Amino acid sequence: MSSFWSIWITVLTIVVIVGCFVLLRIVSKNNTGVEEGKSMGHSFDGIEELNNPLPKWWSYLFYVTIVFGVIYLALYPGLGNFKGFLGWSSANQSIGTENGIAADSKAAVELATKEGRWVQYDQEVKRADEKFGPIFKAYAETPLDELVKNEEALKVGGRLFLHNCSQCHGSDARGSKGFPNLTDGDWLYGGELATIKTSIMNGRHGMMPPKGGLPIEDSEIKGLAEYVTKLAGRDHDEALAAQGQGSFMKGCFACHGMDATGNKMMGAPNLTNNIWLYGGSRGSIEQSIKNGRSGVMPAWKDVLGEEKVHVITAYVYSLSNK
């Protein structure tokens, strides 16, 4: 964190704490000029306001929370770059090989604890790797076409999916606008096991430029959207769709194909199956044509590693191949 933001956070935090203390002191005193217990001269719906002080227990409890906050911020990180007098850290950032002691050894943990340093996060990760590492290694050594038949592996893949993928694709993997449904068997880049793994490992960047980058006028967009509607097998205006077909032949087929069934090499969607990533209403289709679309799926190889991606791949494949 930069010095500016460290100072900003520190000052702001201290001001808030001091402000709470001052405010509490002010409201604890009778500054109204009205004797305690007497009427303030306000009434509504038969309820009269009296000049009653704050309950003592409430005031004392608030003082306790202020004192607790000050002590906590003195001992633990919370004031910008100040690490606290205990030197606690959720990660093993300050421990290396010291005095010949390896950072991941039990002795290193004891040394860190003795010196007031903690390595909670790294040690939890280490224990998890020791426990689950052999399991993931065994799964990674199993070919994907066999792994999809392993119910225990699919359960593990499902849990990994919920923790890492459901934020975009949903807990049921049915996606939402702009995020693909993984259960319908429709794949922009292909639904083969190897292809799915490549998509998860390396990510994807799909992009349709406005008007497909073609010399299509705004006046043609409505007809083109009507032609796309016709391709999907929906009710349409035949005359308007015929006009749109001419616009389509200006070059839309270069990505979507002459038969409009898409191109998995480019991630160009099939326009004939009535499955829509950004919505299938005429308004949504017109918006897609006019403004284009851009979607990014991040790469997970550096976040999860290939072993876990291997298991998630089997799970994702199973969603549409049960």
Side-chain angles (χ1 to χ4, degrees), residues 221-235:
I221 291 177
K222 187 172 290 292
L224 185 52
E226 196 68 19
Y227 177 64
V228 172
T229 301
K230 175 183 177 180
L231 289 172
R234 296 160 56 188
D235 293 337

Side-chain angles (χ1 to χ4, degrees), residues 285-301:
I285 296 173
E286 289 177 15
Q287 185 178 5
S288 295
I289 297 171
K290 182 177 181 179
N291 302 323
R293 298 291 186 181
S294 180
V296 178
M297 173 181 166
W300 288 91
K301 60 181 178 182

Side-chain angles (χ1 to χ4, degrees), residues 14-318:
I14 293 175
V15 168
V16 169
I17 293 176
V18 173
C20 288
F21 177 79
V22 172
L23 179 62
L24 185 60
R25 293 289 295 173
I26 293 174
V27 299
S28 296
K29 295 180 179 180
N30 183 8
N31 300 310
T32 64
V34 179
E35 186 180 349
E36 289 186 1
K38 299 299 183 179
S39 174
M40 293 291 291
H42 306 145
S43 63
F44 178 78
D45 199 21
I47 301 174
E48 187 174 16
E49 181 184 2
L50 302 179
N51 183 25
N52 289 326
L54 293 172
K56 293 295 183 182
W57 69 267
W58 189 93
S59 298
Y60 292 150
L61 183 61
F62 214 117
Y63 282 124
V64 169
T65 62
I66 292 175
V67 172
F68 175 84
V70 171
I71 294 175
Y72 181 92
L73 290 173
L75 298 178
Y76 294 95
L79 296 175
N81 291 328
F82 176 62
K83 296 183 178 180
F85 294 117
L86 291 182
W88 184 90
S89 173
S90 62
N92 187 13
Q93 295 175 345
S94 60
I95 292 185
T97 301
E98 302 181 32
N99 301 323
I101 302 175
D104 60 351
S105 67
K106 181 179 179 181
V109 178
E110 293 174 350
L111 174 63
T113 305
K114 181 179 179 180
E115 295 181 356
R117 292 178 287 146
W118 293 72
V119 289
Q120 176 181 329
Y121 174 76
D122 282 348
Q123 291 305 310
E124 288 180 358
V125 170
K126 181 176 180 295
R127 286 194 293 269
D129 287 341
E130 290 174 349
K131 181 177 180 180
F132 300 111
I135 298 175
F136 283 115
K137 182 178 180 181
Y139 287 155
E141 293 173 351
T142 304
L144 283 169
D145 56 352
E146 296 181 18
L147 197 63
V148 295
K149 303 173 185 177
N150 186 325
E151 291 298 326
E152 288 301 317
L154 295 182
K155 290 179 181 178
V156 173
R159 288 191 287 271
L160 287 171
F161 180 92
L162 287 174
H163 282 293
N164 299 281
C165 313
S166 61
Q167 292 85 347
C168 292
H169 295 285
S171 58
D172 59 358
R174 294 185 180 277
S176 60
K177 188 174 182 178
F179 300 100
N181 181 346
L182 303 179
T183 68
D184 58 9
D186 182 65
W187 302 91
L188 291 176
Y189 295 92
E192 301 79 13
L193 283 163
T195 305
I196 295 174
K197 184 174 181 178
T198 298
S199 296
I200 300 174
M201 285 285 289
N202 302 324
R204 297 289 187 182
H205 188 176
M207 199 276 287
M208 172 182 166
K211 301 177 186 177
L214 301 170
I216 295 175
E217 302 296 331
D218 286 348
S219 58
E220 300 178 69
I221 291 177
K222 187 172 290 292
L224 185 52
E226 196 68 19
Y227 177 64
V228 172
T229 301
K230 175 183 177 180
L231 289 172
R234 296 160 56 188
D235 293 337
H236 58 278
D237 182 315
E238 188 61 46
L240 191 57
Q243 296 175 20
Q245 184 175 9
S247 301
F248 185 88
M249 297 309 293
K250 285 186 176 182
C252 300
F253 59 84
C255 293
H256 295 283
M258 290 297 294
D259 57 1
T261 56
N263 185 336
K264 289 182 170 59
M265 293 293 292
M266 303 175 65
N270 182 349
L271 303 179
T272 68
N273 58 7
N274 204 26
I275 295 176
W276 308 93
L277 183 58
Y278 293 96
S281 67
R282 282 173 174 77
S284 296
I285 296 173
E286 289 177 15
Q287 185 178 5
S288 295
I289 297 171
K290 182 177 181 179
N291 302 323
R293 298 291 186 181
S294 180
V296 178
M297 173 181 166
W300 288 91
K301 60 181 178 182
D302 295 330
V303 179
L304 294 175
E306 185 173 0
E307 291 182 350
K308 292 179 181 177
V309 169
H310 195 76
V311 182
I312 294 178
T313 298
Y315 172 75
V316 170
Y317 180 85
S318 72

